[in-house]
Structure formats: C-alpha cells, structure tokens
Amino acid sequence: NTAKPSPMQYIPVPAGVAGMAVNSDGSTILLRWFAESNPKNIAVILSLDTAKQPVVLSGHTDAIMGQAVTIDGTRCATASFDKTAKIWSLKDPANPITLTHPGEVFNVAFTADGKILATSDYEGIVRFWNAETGAAVSKPIGEKGDINTRCRMRFFHSDKRHLITAAWDRTIRHW
C-alpha cells in the first residue's frame, strides 16, 4: 500500500494552465494559459514566497505559445503568435525587450548562463539574441518554409555551443 505524496506547498491558480517554466531552485515560476481559460496574451510570474504578489506580464497582442526562465530567475522570455518574443527583466517587468520576427514565434530558450536567448518561429528558423540588449548575435539557422521542420522545443548544452531542436517532422537535430 503506497501513500500518495503530499505537496510541500499549494498555490492556487486559475484553470487552464498551458505552459510553465521554472528557474533552477524553483523559486520563480512562469505560467501561461490556454486562450479559452484566461487572457491568452499574458503570462504571470509566481513565487514560492507567498508574501510576494504575482507579477502579470502583459504586452503581447496574441496568444503566448512558449516561455522560459533563466536559471537564476532574473529574466524570463515569452514567444507569441503576434510575431514577437519578449525578454522580461524581473527587476523591471513593465519594460520588456521586444524581438520582432517575420512570423509567429513558437518557443524560447535561454543558455545556461542566461546571456543568449534562442527563438523559433513559424517558418522553422531559430534566431539567437543577446538576452540583455535584444541584439541579434549570429545568423539564424533552420530550414525555412516546411511545416514539418518547425522547431517546437530546443535546449542548450551548458557550454552554449550545442543546441537541440525537436521538430514536427519527428526529428531531433543537434546543431
């Protein structure tokens, strides 16, 4: 007979959570919702310190599709169908850096040190940005135009020279 584990902490949130990202110690939690449940174009930062108020990240004009938090929890990023990704400093969430793309943005991922952000868009292209300034840091990679090569998720190896993408064509690529 196995006992059900009990949560260490319980934080109620509105129904319909569609995505979540968490920093390395679990103290910063970024949530986004399905469009049917809550506003689709906002994300919320929660803290395990329940004395802190949730921080609402607003500024996208269409659905948020992806989210990421730096390991240290000082920055987060969102990807949206409004053809932008945003980098949010948790010290100044009212003034995000906006990264414009030619198509809808599906996902975002930070390097382990939080200095570079990768974004993947509707065209299957991955772009790299300085996470502090928003400047492009290298040429984009990927195969443009084929729905089957759209990158849905990617993660960095800690040395910042390795990128893993998983695409709709049932492939994983190591760049």
Side-chain angles (χ1 to χ4, degrees):
N1 194 353
T2 307
K4 274 180 95 174
S6 297
M8 296 171 50
Q9 190 170 358
Y10 178 80
I11 302 171
V13 297
V17 171
M20 177 180 72
V22 182
N23 74 324
S24 65
D25 67 4
S27 63
T28 302
I29 304 164
L30 175 62
L31 299 176
R32 68 177 172 89
W33 282 267
F34 288 110
E36 302 80 30
S37 307
N38 283 289
K40 62 185 178 182
N41 59 339
I42 66 164
V44 175
I45 296 288
L46 300 175
S47 173
L48 291 180
D49 177 357
T50 55
K52 290 184 179 179
Q53 291 295 313
V55 177
V56 176
L57 305 177
S58 60
H60 284 294
T61 59
D62 205 343
I64 295 173
M65 299 306 296
Q67 66 285 322
V69 176
T70 56
I71 288 174
D72 64 7
T74 59
R75 277 196 286 295
C76 65
T78 51
S80 175
F81 273 0
D82 68 4
K83 301 181 182 180
T84 69
K86 292 186 183 290
I87 302 171
W88 311 81
S89 166
L90 299 187
K91 291 180 182 176
D92 186 15
N95 295 301
I97 297 170
T98 300
L99 310 171
T100 303
H101 294 69
E104 291 94 344
V105 187
F106 282 110
N107 276 299
V108 287
F110 287 103
T111 53
D113 63 8
K115 293 183 179 181
I116 296 184
L117 178 76
T119 61
S120 65
D121 68 20
Y122 184 83
E123 292 288 333
I125 304 298
V126 178
R127 291 174 170 76
F128 301 94
W129 312 87
N130 179 309
E132 295 175 4
T133 67
V137 296
S138 69
K139 290 184 179 182
I141 61 172
E143 299 174 30
K144 184 176 180 177
D146 182 356
I147 188 172
N148 294 320
T149 60
R150 292 181 191 165
C151 298
R152 294 296 295 170
M153 300 193 325
R154 75 253 131 274
F155 300 97
F156 284 93
H157 187 274
S158 61
D159 68 4
K160 295 190 290 188
R161 293 183 305 198
H162 295 272
L163 176 71
I164 306 297
T165 61
W168 289 2
D169 64 357
R170 300 181 186 169
T171 62
I172 294 177
R173 291 177 176 91
H174 179 198
W175 303 85

